[in-house]
């Protein structure tokens, strides 16, 4: 592990081979090379992410798990271009500027639907922003674009709710609409920050199944941040475990279960074993003082 | 639901009638001189008789108020948008703004008179300066409280600052804006009347001032009633517009979700 912290010029810009665990093809959708993020400066600086290298291939479904505050969301924000690395390089879709490089869809735990728009208009919001849809929005908003939104809403079980306002829907329904909004513009990269965190167990499991279906149908690259190890095991094709703050990736393993996966599968012994292994890793990570602190 | 609303309105109207009846009765029973407190019936009679003379003053006050109000809103929206969008502008401008707003506006009228002479201009400026502050604060608050997650979603899509302002910031601000309009229009009235009492030869404020120096107390109260009537009328007008534009912010009780 200590080798990750050796700062040599040759180590920078050299992607590690960690991503190869899942049989990564040559073109990665996201590539973090020795990226680290520090918020603030001087004595008040808070290291959020220690030097981290991560490669995610086109079409992969990667889950990030780890103790809270470990920098999972920071990796997500790096990938979306909302945060720039303090050092190191982040390349998304072959370029450094994320938002322009490829279409990104995002969903958070808070569905953040705009209360003055109907569900259908909320879902269509990215079409208003992103090219090539943007220039055709005026002509198509009551035609092809609306049909697209309706089709997606039907896919997540919200048929007939397109004309309703957000306050007329339950939390689970809003989260479904949130997924639709993240997918409407056919993003090649989907960034999910605990999107199912605030839901009850059964709604959550239902949405896992829907998420899996959507992923199998559209095949975007997905980076999912979650606290729920069952969720990670059920959805992801690869799971990265992070250490306590400032975070590093301490484990990176492919999840080989056949798809489509079922909720029943999550109670089978080999799934439970995976869960237990992840759990132990995180418990250890929480207990161990981080390397930076140990050095002081 | 409808029945309850109707009963509510009847109660409100009843209370107003009761207020005037009580006032009338109090004056009759106590034998109060109408130099001190005229009976409401006297005031209404004066109002009716003097209407031809009062009418131009009403228009003057209304015109001055609306001019000051419109200018104040324009300035307030502009300043509020700048402050709400940019954190730096907020931190820079706010202290100065607080300083301005905490000056009692009566103190400013003589300065305006000094610069522009007595009449309509100082009245417009006074109502402007008194009514723009709540607009600035509300617009800025509305813009500054946009959910960070919503902004992140849009930024990740490559939305420009203007895109975010247009699609999220401004619509979000509407309920705050209209709430502040209702406050601002009453403030604008206060400003106008203030300036008219101090330095003007026209307007309801001036009428009340000269009536009181002539001890024509019923006319003073008539002016008061006119101001109350105008204030209520404008408040209602803005409430109706508000209900149409920002209905989404006042949730209905009929929840439809299963």
């Amino acid at each position: 592990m200590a080798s990750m912290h050796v700062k040599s010029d040759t180590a920078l810009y050299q992607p590690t081979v960690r991503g190869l665990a899942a049989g990564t093809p040559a073109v990665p959708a996201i590539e973090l090379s020795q990226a680290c993020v520090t918020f603030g400066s001087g004595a008040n600086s808070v290291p959020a992410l220690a030097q981290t290298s991560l490669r995610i291939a086109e079409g992969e479904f990667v889950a990030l798990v780890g103790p809270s505050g470990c920098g999972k969301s920071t990796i997500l924000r790096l990938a979306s271009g909302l945060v720039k690395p303090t050092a190191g390089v982040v390349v998304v879709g072959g370029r450094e500027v994320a938002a322009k490089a490829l279409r990104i869809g995002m969903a958070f735990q808070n569905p953040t639907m705009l209360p003055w728009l109907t569900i259908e208009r909320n879902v269509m919001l990215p079409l208003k922003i992103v090219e090539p849809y943007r220039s055709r929005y005026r002509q198509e908003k009551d035609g092809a674009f609306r049909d697209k939104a309706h089709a997606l809403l039907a896919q997540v079980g919200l048929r007939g709710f397109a004309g309703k306002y957000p306050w007329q829907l339950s939390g689970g329904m809003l989260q479904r609409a949130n997924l639709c909004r993240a997918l409407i513009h056919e993003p090649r990269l989907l960034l999910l920050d605990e999107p199912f965190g605030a839901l009850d167990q059964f709604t959550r499991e239902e949405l896992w199944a829907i998420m899996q279906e959507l992923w199998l149908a559209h095949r975007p690259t997905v980076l999912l941040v979650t606290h729920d190890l069952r969720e990670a095991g059920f959805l992801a094709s690869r799971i990265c475990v992070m250490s306590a703050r400032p975070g590093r990736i301490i484990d990176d393993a492919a999840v080989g279960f056949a798809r489509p996966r079922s909720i029943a599968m999550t109670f089978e012994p080999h799934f439970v074993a995976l869960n237990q292994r992840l759990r132990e890793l995180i418990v250890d990570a929480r207990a161990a003082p981080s390397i930076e602190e140990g050095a002081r | 639901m409808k029945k309850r609303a109707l009963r509510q309105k009847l109660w409100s109207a009843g209370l107003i009638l009761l207020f005037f009846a009580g006032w009338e009765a109090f004056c009759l029973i106590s034998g109060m001189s109408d130099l001190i407190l005229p009976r409401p019936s006297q005031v209404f009679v004066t109002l009716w008789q003097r209407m031809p003379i009062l009418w131009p003053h009403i228009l003057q006050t209304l015109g001055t108020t609306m001019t000051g109000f419109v200018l104040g809103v324009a300035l307030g929206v502009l300043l509020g948008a700048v402050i709400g969008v940019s954190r730096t502008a907020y931190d820079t401008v706010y202290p100065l703004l607080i300083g301005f707003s905490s000056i009692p506006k009566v103190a400013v009228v003589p300065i305006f008179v000094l610069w522009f002479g007595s009449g309509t201009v100082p009245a417009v400026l006074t109502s402007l300066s008194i009514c723009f502050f709540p607009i600035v604060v509300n617009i800025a608050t509305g813009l500054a409280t946009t959910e960070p997650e919503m902004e992140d979603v849009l930024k990740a899509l490559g939305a420009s600052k203007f895109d975010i302002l247009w699609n999220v910031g401004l619509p979000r601000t509407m309920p705050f804006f209209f709430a502040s309009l209702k406050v601002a229009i009453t403030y604008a009235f206060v400003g106008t009347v203030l300036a008219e009492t101090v330095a003007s030869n026209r307007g309801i404020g001036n009428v009340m001032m000269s009536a009181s120096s002539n001890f024509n107390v019923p006319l003073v109260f008539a002016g008061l009633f006119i101001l109350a009537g105008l204030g209520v009328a404008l408040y209602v007008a803005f409430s109706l517009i508000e209900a149409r534009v920002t209905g989404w912010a006042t949730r209905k009780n009929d929840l439809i979700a299963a």
Side-chain angles (χ1 to χ4, degrees), chain B:
Chain B
M1 188 69 207
K2 261 217 161 110
K3 208 171 164 188
R4 207 173 143 261
L6 186 71
R7 196 185 305 160
Q8 191 59 53
K9 274 181 189 151
L10 282 175
W11 276 110
S12 299
L15 182 68
I16 293 169
L17 283 178
L18 194 72
F19 171 73
F20 282 119
W23 178 355
E24 186 87 28
F26 172 76
C27 290
L28 285 173
I29 293 165
S30 66
M32 180 81 74
S33 156
D34 62 2
L35 277 180
I36 295 166
L37 184 68
R39 283 174 283 124
S41 58
Q42 279 177 301
V43 177
F44 282 117
V45 168
T46 313
L47 201 59
W48 177 252
Q49 284 171 344
R50 298 292 192 95
M51 200 36 114
I53 305 164
L54 284 171
W55 188 242
H57 292 287
I58 293 177
L59 289 183
Q60 166 74 19
T61 299
L62 195 63
T64 308
T65 304
M66 289 313 287
T67 314
F69 173 72
V70 169
L71 292 176
V73 169
L75 187 70
V77 168
L78 208 70
L79 210 58
V82 171
I83 293 178
V85 169
S86 152
R87 179 82 217 173
T88 324
Y90 184 92
D91 291 339
T92 316
V93 180
Y94 221 64
L96 184 69
L97 211 60
I98 299 283
F100 267 121
S101 74
S102 51
I103 297 172
K105 295 302 172 296
V106 206
V108 188
V109 182
I111 299 171
F112 286 148
V113 175
L114 199 68
W115 290 344
F116 303 103
S118 64
T120 312
V121 180
V124 167
L125 287 177
T126 313
S127 73
L128 181 160
S129 64
I130 205 169
C131 83
F132 93 102
F133 190 68
I135 308 240
V136 173
V137 173
N138 279 284
I139 292 268
T141 311
L143 288 176
T145 53
T146 303
E147 293 110 323
E149 282 122 336
M150 188 69 226
E151 247 176 270
D152 284 354
V153 167
L154 290 175
K155 272 193 207 150
L157 291 169
S160 65
K161 274 221 153 189
F162 178 80
D163 284 334
I164 296 174
L165 186 69
W166 185 252
N167 288 300
V168 182
L170 284 182
R172 235 193 88 78
T173 305
M174 283 301 123
F176 296 90
F177 177 60
F178 276 98
S180 69
L181 280 191
K182 289 190 292 188
V183 178
I185 189 70
T186 30
Y187 277 19
F189 256 112
V190 173
T192 306
V193 175
L194 201 75
E196 281 173 353
T197 14
V198 177
S200 180
N201 45 12
R202 286 201 293 165
I204 297 297
N206 175 254
V207 168
M208 288 172 69
M209 207 56 199
S210 57
S212 82
S213 57
N214 294 332
F215 293 103
N216 189 347
V217 183
L219 188 58
V220 176
F221 275 86
L224 213 58
F225 280 22
I226 289 170
L227 291 177
L230 286 177
V232 170
L234 287 172
Y235 185 94
V236 168
F238 282 108
S239 299
L240 290 178
I241 300 171
E242 178 185 20
R244 275 194 71 91
V245 179
T246 61
W248 58 268
T250 46
R251 276 151 216 231
K252 286 94 192 160
N253 292 324
D254 41 73
L255 204 67
I256 297 169

Side-chain angles (χ1 to χ4, degrees), chain A residues 77 82 99-100 104 106 108 110 112 114-116 125-126 128-130 134 164 167-169 181 185, chain B residues 147 149-150 152-159 163 167-168 171-172 248 251-252 254-258:
Chain A
R77 292 167 70 81
L82 292 167
K100 307 282 177 215
I104 292 177
M106 270 190 122
F108 292 92
N110 178 355
T112 60
L114 301 174
W116 56 88
L125 188 65
K128 224 169 155 180
I129 308 284
V130 180
R134 186 187 180 118
K164 297 270 186 286
W167 52 267
Q168 295 172 311
L169 270 63
R181 187 180 62 192
H185 54 301
Chain B
E147 293 110 323
E149 282 122 336
M150 188 69 226
D152 284 354
V153 167
L154 290 175
K155 272 193 207 150
L157 291 169
D163 284 334
N167 288 300
V168 182
R172 235 193 88 78
W248 58 268
R251 276 151 216 231
K252 286 94 192 160
D254 41 73
L255 204 67
I256 297 169

Side-chain angles (χ1 to χ4, degrees), chain A residues 10-88:
Chain A
T10 48
L12 282 173
Y13 309 114
Q14 267 187 8
T16 61
V17 288
R18 300 189 148 270
L20 291 174
T24 315
V27 188
I30 306 177
E31 186 167 357
L32 273 67
S33 308
Q34 303 287 91
C36 66
V37 175
T38 308
F39 292 117
S41 58
N44 297 325
S45 69
V46 181
L49 189 69
Q51 286 182 331
T52 299
S53 295
L54 174 69
R55 262 180 116 181
I56 298 174
E58 188 89 55
E60 257 192 303
F61 197 132
V62 177
L64 273 177
V65 297
S68 58
C70 69
K72 302 188 292 279
S73 298
T74 307
I75 290 191
L76 208 77
R77 292 167 70 81
L78 276 174
S80 66
L82 292 167
V83 166
K84 291 215 156 44
T86 316

